[in-house]
Amino acid sequence: QVQLGESGGGLVEAGGSLSLSCAASGRTFTLARVGWFRQAPGKERELVTAIRWNTGDTYYVDSVKGRFTISRDNAKNMVSLQMNNLKPDDTAVYYCAAALTLGVGFNYWGQGTQVIVSS
């Protein structure tokens, strides 16, 4: 089992920045990939970014490329998401998720943290 806990959401004006953190506990040595999803009201949940735990390889959805940066600290079992130049369309609940096997869906989820970007 892996437990995930997010922190760092909040309210920011458009053009501002926020940093989210995801702390992993439990069987963290089994992690393969950690990602950040978001879900806005009335919209489907989407994968925003992900990072492979061992190699650090990253993925970003086109809408956040150049603005968001995902990073991990293997020693602390933490994943961070730095979000710059935020836009109102970034408003959503952001979820941290972990996959234990590559190529398979994410197995574990955090409780989510709200990000609101005002125009």
Side-chain angles (χ1 to χ4, degrees), residues 24-95:
S25 60
R27 296 174 62 86
T28 56
F29 59 89
T30 62
L31 289 173
R33 196 175 186 217
V34 177
W36 287 95
F37 287 75
R38 67 185 178 188
Q39 187 165 22
K43 295 186 178 180
E44 293 188 355
R45 184 176 58 193
E46 69 169 342
L47 176 61
V48 176
T49 179
I51 188 165
R52 288 184 63 170
W53 197 249
N54 288 337
T55 65
D57 292 342
T58 58
Y59 160 84
Y60 296 94
V61 69
D62 285 347
S63 60
V64 307
K65 285 181 180 177
R67 300 188 298 120
F68 289 13
T69 303
I70 189 172
S71 61
R72 90 252 192 256
D73 185 329
N74 297 59
K76 296 181 179 180
N77 294 321
M78 291 193 69
V79 174
S80 298
L81 177 61
Q82 178 64 40
M83 304 183 293
N84 298 326
N85 190 21
L86 282 160
K87 304 176 180 180
D89 283 349
D90 296 318
T91 295
V93 177
Y94 284 71
Y95 298 90

